[in-house]
């Protein structure tokens, strides 16, 4: 049973805004806090923008932007929350200190979740008086549309907290993936990092431009991955014998030196190639226009996914 009624979002950057929009669209009361100058006005403008997209995706009955409150004082912001979603900059010392402070102020039964994309929960909870209720709940941008959230407990996290968190995130139309063993980068970011590393090498070595790398994904494996992911995609590549034949046929190629295991040095030359390439790709469009196109596409894509893969699940969570 979901006992979470009020949520507090700490940090109103891109990810924090995404969480606020999703929580609000599902009918929750949300308190937001951020010490940055003009944080409230920036937050309200961003929510206005996201709310237009959410109107297309679907908003829960009773959901309202009026259920959002900005509270600059952290202690007051977290005092009554059942779940606190932390979104501080991705630096261990900042997050550890902030989570310890949240832990001191939050009521004992509240769940504290960090949106960290790569840090280990055991390190993040180390300075907390109640580390057993601290977890990682890592989302993907835009949080108000992308359903995946990776849940990871640290060495002191109790299973009941992970279980309660999974139930809550599932209740707001997310797909919680409970990761059994903590590892830097969790699961999805490690996979994306591998592709990003190879993409940088291809651009750095003059093999392909940023536009050509993007096209290679968009018109090739990206279409299949949206439905199946890498394992089932290759399972079908093996024909009637599936993965068994695929590994026998193509397994030896894994030893070929195709993969660059180490990221290239991020030199000024490489940075300029990547930056100029991306600017060239988007020269006729603003970032706002691209975000709107992305969001509309994601709404339609998820409808297709529900149509063609309704029984997809992983340990009953996805």
């Amino acid at each position: 049973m979901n006992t979470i009624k009020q949520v507090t979002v700490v940090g109103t950057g891109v990810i924090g805004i995404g969480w606020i929009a999703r929580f609000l669209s599902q009918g929750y009361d949300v308190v937001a806090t951020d010490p940055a100058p003009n944080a409230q006005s920036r937050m309200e403008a961003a929510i206005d923008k996201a709310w237009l997209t959410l109107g297309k995706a679907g908003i829960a009955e009773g959901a309202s932007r009026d259920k959002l409150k900005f509270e600059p004082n952290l202690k007051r912001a977290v005092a009554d929350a059942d779940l606190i979603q932390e979104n501080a900059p991705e630096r261990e010392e900042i997050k550890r200190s902030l989570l310890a402070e949240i832990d001191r102020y939050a009521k004992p039964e509240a769940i504290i979740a960090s949106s960290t994309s790569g840090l280990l929960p055991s390190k993040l909870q180390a300075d907390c008086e109640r580390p057993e209720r601290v977890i990682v709940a890592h989302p993907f941008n835009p949080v108000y549309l992308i359903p995946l959230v990776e849940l990871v407990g640290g060495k002191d996290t109790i299973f009941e907290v992970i279980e309660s968190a999974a139930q809550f995130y599932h209740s707001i139309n997310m797909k919680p993936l409970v990761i059994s063993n903590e590892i830097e980068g969790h699961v999805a970011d490690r996979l994306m990092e591998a592709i990003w590393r190879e993409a940088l090498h291809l651009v750095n070595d003059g093999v392909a431009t940023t536009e050509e790398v993007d096209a290679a994904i968009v018109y090739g494996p990206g279409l299949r991955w949206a439905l199946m992911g890498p394992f089932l995609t290759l399972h079908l590549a093996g024909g009637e014998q599936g993965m068994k034949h695929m590994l026998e046929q193509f397994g030896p190629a894994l030893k070929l030196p195709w993969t660059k295991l180490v990221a290239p040095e991020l030199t000024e030359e490489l940075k300029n190639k990547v930056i100029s390439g991306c600017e060239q790709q988007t020269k006729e469009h603003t970032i706002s226009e691209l975000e709107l196109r992305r969001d509309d596409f994601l709404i339609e894509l998820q409808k297709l996914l529900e149509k063609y893969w309704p029984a997809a699940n992983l340990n009953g969570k996805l």
Side-chain angles (χ1 to χ4, degrees):
M1 179 180 178
N2 178 26
T3 58
I4 294 172
K5 303 302 179 185
Q6 181 183 307
V7 294
T8 291
V9 175
V10 179
T12 57
V14 173
I15 298 301
I17 291 295
W19 277 121
I20 293 169
R22 180 175 281 274
F23 293 146
L24 286 174
S25 71
Q26 295 299 312
Y28 280 87
D29 292 314
V30 181
V31 175
T33 185
D34 193 314
N38 303 318
Q40 183 174 0
S41 59
R42 288 189 290 102
M43 174 195 74
E44 291 173 349
I47 293 300
D48 284 341
K49 185 177 178 181
W51 206 253
L52 294 174
T53 294
L54 285 165
K56 304 173 187 176
I59 296 174
E61 184 177 353
S64 171
R65 289 188 74 265
D66 295 336
K67 291 186 176 183
L68 173 61
K69 173 186 175 183
F70 186 85
E71 171 54 70
N73 182 277
L74 179 65
K75 184 175 182 179
R76 290 196 294 267
V78 304
D80 298 320
D82 301 306
L83 181 138
I84 299 108
Q85 192 78 43
E86 170 272 314
N87 309 280
E90 197 73 359
R91 289 170 52 188
E92 183 180 324
E93 64 275 15
I94 292 177
K95 285 186 177 290
R96 279 182 64 160
S97 175
L98 178 58
L99 288 168
E101 189 175 5
I102 292 171
D103 181 53
R104 287 196 300 273
Y105 299 147
K107 57 188 182 183
E109 65 273 23
I111 295 174
I112 302 174
S114 174
S115 297
T116 178
S117 60
L119 300 175
L120 298 175
S122 289
K123 291 184 177 180
L124 296 178
Q125 67 186 194
D127 299 328
C128 295
E129 296 177 6
R130 298 185 181 89
E132 68 278 358
R133 43 90 168 262
V134 177
I135 64 170
V136 163
H138 172 230
F140 295 82
N141 185 47
V143 183
Y144 51 85
L145 290 180
I146 299 290
L148 181 65
V149 56
E150 296 177 312
L151 303 184
V152 196
K155 64 181 182 63
D156 293 322
T157 307
I158 59 176
F159 176 74
E160 288 76 14
V161 169
I162 291 285
E163 190 173 41
S164 295
Q167 291 174 357
F168 166 69
Y169 290 114
H170 187 268
S171 76
I172 59 171
N173 291 329
M174 298 193 82
K175 302 293 185 183
L177 171 61
V178 177
I179 298 175
S180 301
N181 299 307
E182 58 180 335
I183 184 173
E184 293 88 349
H186 320 314
V187 172
D189 268 10
R190 294 181 72 92
L191 295 171
M192 290 191 296
E193 174 64 25
I195 294 176
W196 175 234
R197 183 176 61 237
E198 296 297 314
L200 287 176
H201 274 295
L202 291 169
V203 171
N204 190 55
D205 297 344
V207 176
T209 65
T210 59
E211 185 173 11
E212 290 166 343
V213 170
D214 283 353
I217 295 295
V218 170
Y219 298 111
L223 290 172
R224 299 179 300 192
W225 290 342
L227 177 66
M228 296 186 177
F231 281 108
L232 282 188
T233 294
L234 293 177
H235 182 56
L236 268 63
E240 291 299 321
Q241 296 183 49
M243 183 63 78
K244 181 178 183 296
H245 177 68
M246 198 288 300
L247 290 176
E248 292 172 349
Q249 184 75 9
F250 301 106
L254 293 174
K255 294 184 178 180
L256 294 176
W258 289 351
T259 302
K260 303 281 190 178
L261 296 178
V262 179
E265 187 69 29
L266 201 56
T267 62
E268 288 302 313
E269 181 183 5
L270 177 54
K271 286 194 287 186
N272 288 335
K273 282 184 178 181
V274 172
I275 294 169
S276 62
C278 291
E279 290 177 346
Q280 177 66 26
Q281 286 178 251
T282 60
K283 63 181 180 180
E284 297 179 358
H285 304 280
T286 65
I287 293 297
S288 293
E289 290 172 339
L290 294 171
E291 288 175 338
L292 180 60
R293 184 177 69 171
R294 175 202 64 192
D295 289 357
D296 287 345
F297 173 78
L298 288 172
I299 291 170
E300 293 189 39
L301 184 62
Q302 288 189 67
K303 291 177 181 178
L304 280 175
L305 186 58
E306 291 171 3
K307 177 181 178 180
Y308 288 97
W309 197 249
N313 68 80
L314 185 61
N315 296 328
K317 299 299 182 185
L318 290 183

